[in-house]
């Protein structure tokens, strides 16, 4: 059996941009992606803290150190610049390995700079 396990999360990121006319995805500062164990083009869940929207898209690397969190394409309609969101990545893990999964969690400030990193919830 395979289990879909949380492998990384960016908590309370601030949306810096929304680009309705881009093809799609979420652009994330590469530093944040690395810290949260996320890869480019990975499928992620987005949970908007401010309006309750929940949706999925894929990641694109943004400039390192930029703090960029940009929702692109149709996802841009689900947020407003300034909204706080949670970005979560999941991975399929064999049941025998599931108890060994420890997600990387990143908490950011209002400028999307890392203020806390830890493994586990």
């Amino acid at each position: 059996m395979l289990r879909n396990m949380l492998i990384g999360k960016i908590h309370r990121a601030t949306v810096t941009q929304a680009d309705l006319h881009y093809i799609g995805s979420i652009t994330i500062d590469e530093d944040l992606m690395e810290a949260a164990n996320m890869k480019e083009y990975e499928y992620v869940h987005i949970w908007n803290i401010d309006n309750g929207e929940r949706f999925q898209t894929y990641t694109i690397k943004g400039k390192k150190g930029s703090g960029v969190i940009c929702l692109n394409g149709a996802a841009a309609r689900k947020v407003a610049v300034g909204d706080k969101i949670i970005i979560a990545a999941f991975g399929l893990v064999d049941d025998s390995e599931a108890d060994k999964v420890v997600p990387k969690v990143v908490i950011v400030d209002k400028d999307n700079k890392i203020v806390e990193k830890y493994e586990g919830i």
Side-chain angles (χ1 to χ4, degrees):
M1 174 190 323
L2 295 176
R3 294 189 181 261
N4 200 9
M5 306 290 290
L6 178 69
I7 59 169
K9 179 170 82 165
I10 302 170
H11 192 73
R12 296 190 61 83
T14 302
V15 175
T16 60
Q17 300 170 30
D19 185 354
L20 181 62
H21 300 291
Y22 189 79
I23 297 168
S25 69
I26 181 170
T27 304
I28 303 172
D29 177 328
E30 188 175 356
D31 287 336
L32 297 178
M33 288 180 62
E34 288 174 2
N37 193 30
M38 293 178 187
K39 302 290 185 192
E40 190 165 38
Y41 310 118
E42 185 166 12
Y43 180 75
V44 291
H45 292 252
I46 312 291
W47 304 316
N48 189 322
I49 295 167
D50 290 310
N51 68 17
E53 289 281 358
R54 299 170 75 91
F55 54 97
Q56 300 82 38
T57 190
Y58 62 93
T59 62
I60 294 177
K61 287 181 186 175
K63 182 179 175 187
K64 279 181 161 271
S66 66
V68 67
I69 299 289
C70 179
L71 278 299
N72 301 303
R77 296 237 187 244
K78 304 285 189 180
V79 300
V81 171
D83 281 359
K84 296 288 187 191
I85 62 173
I86 298 167
I87 307 162
F90 295 83
L92 292 175
V93 179
D94 188 86
D95 194 49
S96 65
E97 299 291 317
D99 290 338
K100 298 175 188 165
V101 173
V102 181
K104 292 189 177 186
V105 178
V106 177
I107 299 174
V108 297
D109 65 13
K110 65 181 178 57
D111 298 313
N112 296 325
K113 301 301 179 202
I114 297 171
V115 294
E116 192 173 348
K117 290 191 304 189
Y118 57 94
E119 294 190 15
I121 302 286

